Amino acid sequence: MSEPSTPADGAPRGSRRRDQHDLTAVERWIDDRANRLLRDAPDGGARAKAVEFLVFGAKQAWACIFGAAMLAVIVAARLWYPDDVWLARNDALVVAAIVIQVVMIVTRLETGRELWVIVLFHVVGTGMELFKTGVGSWEYDGGGVLHLGAVPLYTGFMYAAVGSYMVRVYRLFDLRFDRYPRVWLTTIIAAGIYVNFFSQHFIVDLRWVLLAAVLVVFARTMMHFRVFRRTHRMPVLVAFLLVACFIWIAENIGTITGAWLYPNQEDGWQLVPLTKLVSWFLLMMISVVMVTWVYPPKRPDRLPT
């Protein structure tokens, strides 16, 4: 679904243009030049739809830049990093992850405000990793000194990549929400999901109850996102599922390289079970809640001046 088209400057008709202060300096530079390039693009028909689709893909790719860089270095390290050098592969990945993060901040691809969200993802993700590897849910290749227990320190950056995507997509697509649930309610559900990741190993697994709670609470929530000349709408539950699917694909790439393995993959690689989509879907709930602590959900009619 989409709302009425916009004039050539990219601002939706009948509404105000997004405040460019939501973008970093580099993103504003790119946004200005992209608008100039697409200024004469058609406003209707198949070519207009093609432009919208290409801009959508470009923005998604830009939002994924941290995660894509992390996945690229993980794959490259598994394929080409020598086994006999003084710096262990896992430690090299930690150094590479730190470099990527520093570059993101120095080049103003991320803001200091977003860095707090990413650090929070680090903490939450590392806590989960320490527990899950301890109970044998998955394991990492050994080696190196930059680790906590059996968890290489670069793994925290993989969770940070999810956080980076979430905060960047919020800005790049100027996300607005209809009928968004109370943040305190979503926080309670997210806390329950996080606790269940641990407690399911000792008491009853409540993931299906928690999944049902997410479906009920977000059933009526509609996400509005602006691409180029149109503001589109999508049920937020569909957005959660799509992001979970992409993480599942990335997870398969990571296990193919042997960066980490599930117990059923130790005798030979197998596709990560589709049931993991439920876990990633629930992780989206935790991710969204953490982002709302920094970027409170906005309604479509509350546009910046």
Side-chain angles (χ1 to χ4, degrees):
M1 291 177 284
S2 61
E3 295 172 0
S5 60
T6 68
D9 66 357
R13 289 193 180 107
S15 62
R16 300 182 181 91
R17 184 186 170 111
R18 174 187 58 197
D19 185 355
Q20 281 205 331
H21 288 94
D22 289 341
L23 304 178
T24 66
V26 174
E27 289 168 344
R28 285 197 298 272
W29 185 87
I30 294 173
D31 188 63
D32 286 341
R33 278 147 187 81
N35 279 317
R36 292 177 190 175
L37 178 65
L38 299 173
R39 182 169 46 200
D40 298 324
D43 195 22
R47 290 179 61 191
K49 292 179 180 178
V51 169
E52 285 283 322
F53 178 77
L54 292 174
V55 173
F56 176 82
K59 284 188 173 184
Q60 284 288 345
W62 187 248
C64 292
I65 188 170
F66 188 100
M70 276 299 304
L71 189 60
V73 297
I74 289 173
V75 172
R78 292 291 153 178
L79 293 178
W80 299 301
Y81 196 83
D83 293 326
D84 55 353
V85 297
W86 64 273
L87 184 64
R89 179 184 289 110
N90 284 350
D91 292 347
L93 286 171
V94 176
V95 173
I98 293 173
V99 170
I100 293 170
Q101 184 66 83
V102 170
V103 169
M104 295 283 288
I105 294 296
V106 170
T107 58
R108 299 183 180 180
L109 297 180
E110 284 179 351
T111 66
R113 185 182 183 188
E114 292 169 0
L115 184 60
W116 286 108
V117 179
I118 291 169
V119 169
L120 185 58
F121 272 80
H122 264 281
V123 174
V124 170
T126 300
M128 187 184 302
E129 287 286 339
L130 286 169
F131 180 83
K132 287 293 191 177
T133 53
V135 297
S137 296
W138 57 77
E139 64 178 23
Y140 290 93
D141 188 21
V145 297
L146 300 177
H147 59 83
L148 290 174
V151 180
L153 293 183
Y154 75 84
T155 60
F157 288 91
M158 295 191 298
Y159 288 89
V162 177
S164 176
Y165 170 80
M166 297 296 292
V167 293
R168 289 166 67 80
V169 79
Y170 191 98
R171 291 187 293 99
L172 294 174
F173 288 93
D174 193 23
L175 298 186
R176 307 296 169 112
F177 302 90
D178 270 334
R179 297 182 293 275
Y180 196 90
R182 298 287 187 182
V183 172
W184 64 264
L185 178 58
T186 63
T187 299
I188 291 174
I189 295 175
I193 291 171
Y194 190 68
V195 169
N196 188 69
F197 278 125
F198 301 91
S199 63
Q200 63 178 284
H201 295 277
F202 308 107
I203 59 176
V204 62
D205 185 358
L206 297 176
R207 76 178 65 190
W208 298 109
V209 175
L210 292 164
L211 177 62
V214 172
L215 296 179
V216 170
V217 168
F218 282 94
R220 300 173 64 244
T221 305
M222 189 70 69
M223 181 178 72
H224 297 241
F225 59 99
R226 186 154 60 81
V227 180
F228 173 46
R229 285 179 171 159
R230 290 184 177 275
T231 297
H232 305 265
R233 293 181 295 166
M234 176 187 295
V236 74
L237 290 174
V238 174
F240 289 175
L241 179 59
L242 290 175
V243 175
C245 287
F246 279 106
I247 296 177
W248 178 79
I249 292 171
E251 189 177 29
N252 275 285
I253 295 173
T255 55
I256 285 175
T257 66
W260 68 91
L261 293 173
Y262 289 102
N264 66 318
Q265 296 174 323
E266 292 178 358
D267 296 328
W269 183 83
Q270 302 177 42
L271 197 68
V272 175
L274 282 171
T275 52
K276 285 292 180 182
L277 281 174
V278 177
S279 297
W280 287 117
F281 185 91
L282 292 174
L283 180 66
M284 283 301 96
M285 184 67 221
I286 299 175
S287 304
V288 168
V289 167
M290 287 194 290
V291 172
T292 59
W293 293 341
V294 177
Y295 292 102
K298 299 178 182 178
R299 289 180 54 83
D301 57 346
R302 293 179 60 188
L303 299 178
T305 57

